[in-house]
Amino acid sequence: MSPTTLSSNLNKINQRITNACQKINKNISDILLLAVSKTHSANAVNFAYNLGLRHFGENYLQEALVKIKQLPSDITWHFIGHIQSNKTKEISEHFSWVHTVDRLKILKRLAAQRPSHLPPLNICFEVNINLQAQKSGFPMNDLSELIKCIQWLKEERRLKLRGLMCLPKLTDNLEIQRRNFQTLHNLLIKLNQTHNLTMDTLSMGVSHDLESAIYEGSTIVRIGTALFGKRK
Ligand SMILES: *Cc1c(COP(=O)(O)O)cnc(C)c1O
């Protein structure tokens, strides 16, 4: 992708975010644009960096490590892929955020492996809103393990609980999009109240549904295709 195309894509996304924020009287600075760079080259990430983007999301550890080594050190890297337990050490060492924690075992490993010279690792719990089979995330109809994670985190200093993340089934139906995101927002409010937490992050919305996500309170939209084009 040429820098010109990337620049024009970024303008379009920023316009979409601005329009959505205006509709609900929200400040655009309250929304973080996370550029999802999986399958795209370090070169493409560097173009995006030169356009001012500083937050990038990656799904595959080995691919991410190659880019992290080559790219400027003031990039904030977010891990947004499914987490296998043998990958937690490098995730904990090289990322600032993990959006896809979905079991206690992973949480414990990330905490134990977070290097002490780094600030706490920012954590979001992934919730499987639509109970899709073969999908990651705590199932929305049984949050017992998620509650265990919350309780375990109270004593933990190497991790900082930031919020919730979801990737609902893609649909063109705007009402269904909004209902899914509203479900996640309501869960965040309820968990904050019940467990006396201060979670401030809703990681929701992709290229296809970022407006609905923003209307329902998203604070991080994760945008791949609309920015970098089709995945390789
Ligand atoms: C790939 C991916 C995205 C980006 O999706 P687009 O439709 O390309 O914007 C966002 N979130 C997660 C978890 C992803 O895996």
Side-chain angles (χ1 to χ4, degrees):
M1 164 152 310
S2 75
T4 330
T5 313
L6 193 67
S7 166
S8 120
N9 286 350
L10 179 59
N11 286 339
K12 284 180 203 149
I13 294 162
N14 280 332
Q15 195 57 58
R16 285 175 66 187
I17 294 174
T18 305
N19 291 346
C21 283
Q22 270 171 1
K23 273 206 180 160
I24 55 166
N25 278 321
K26 199 165 172 163
N27 211 318
I28 46 164
S29 60
D30 294 338
I31 311 277
L32 174 69
L33 169 55
L34 177 60
V36 175
S37 44
K38 61 167 176 261
T39 79
H40 297 287
S41 64
N43 221 358
V45 176
N46 204 40
F47 289 155
Y49 177 91
N50 288 333
L51 295 171
L53 294 177
R54 290 294 178 272
H55 290 259
F56 292 88
E58 287 281 341
N59 292 59
Y60 311 108
L61 178 66
Q62 297 313 320
E63 181 195 332
L65 292 178
V66 174
K67 294 178 207 173
I68 292 171
K69 277 201 195 88
Q70 296 178 45
L71 289 158
S73 61
D74 63 340
I75 289 179
T76 301
W77 293 98
H78 298 237
F79 193 81
I80 62 168
H82 178 69
I83 306 172
Q84 294 166 294
S85 54
N86 64 347
K87 302 284 164 59
T88 51
K89 183 163 185 288
E90 284 176 298
I91 291 173
S92 218
E93 289 172 355
H94 296 282
F95 287 80
S96 302
W97 284 74
V98 178
H99 292 228
T100 40
V101 173
D102 66 353
R103 50 203 197 279
L104 182 57
K105 180 185 176 188
I106 295 294
L107 200 62
K108 288 182 173 173
R109 291 178 63 95
L110 289 170
Q113 294 166 335
R114 181 68 171 171
S116 55
H117 68 276
L118 294 179
L121 180 61
N122 294 296
I123 297 290
C124 293
F125 294 132
E126 179 172 3
V127 180
N128 185 348
I129 295 283
N130 304 128
L131 305 179
Q132 295 176 84
Q134 262 101 54
K135 285 279 180 174
S136 320
F138 298 98
M140 188 61 205
N141 63 350
D142 177 7
L143 299 172
S144 50
E145 172 107 353
L146 188 154
I147 308 290
K148 274 189 208 155
C149 287
I150 286 177
Q151 280 157 355
W152 187 82
L153 269 182
K154 292 212 158 146
E155 306 297 318
E156 181 48 57
R157 295 287 166 265
R158 305 306 315 143
L159 305 179
K160 184 169 170 53
L161 177 57
R162 297 301 300 269
L164 304 177
M165 176 273 200
C166 70
L167 183 59
K169 212 185 308 183
L170 289 183
T171 167
D172 290 331
N173 184 318
L174 298 178
E175 274 174 48
I176 296 176
Q177 288 178 6
R178 290 189 62 161
R179 199 188 310 144
N180 285 331
F181 295 135
Q182 189 181 47
T183 300
L184 194 72
H185 193 169
N186 287 340
L187 178 61
L188 182 111
I189 292 170
K190 184 160 165 242
L191 290 172
N192 273 345
Q193 286 172 349
T194 313
H195 299 277
N196 204 12
L197 304 171
T198 53
M199 290 190 286
D200 59 4
T201 300
L202 282 167
S203 168
M204 56 189 200
V206 299
S207 297
H208 187 67
D209 54 18
L210 74 87
E211 287 85 358
S212 294
I214 289 173
Y215 298 152
E216 298 300 339
S218 174
T219 65
I220 302 184
V221 291
R222 308 179 310 266
I223 307 299
T225 317
L227 183 63
F228 292 109
K230 262 179 71 181
R231 280 186 272 287
K232 308 232 167 88

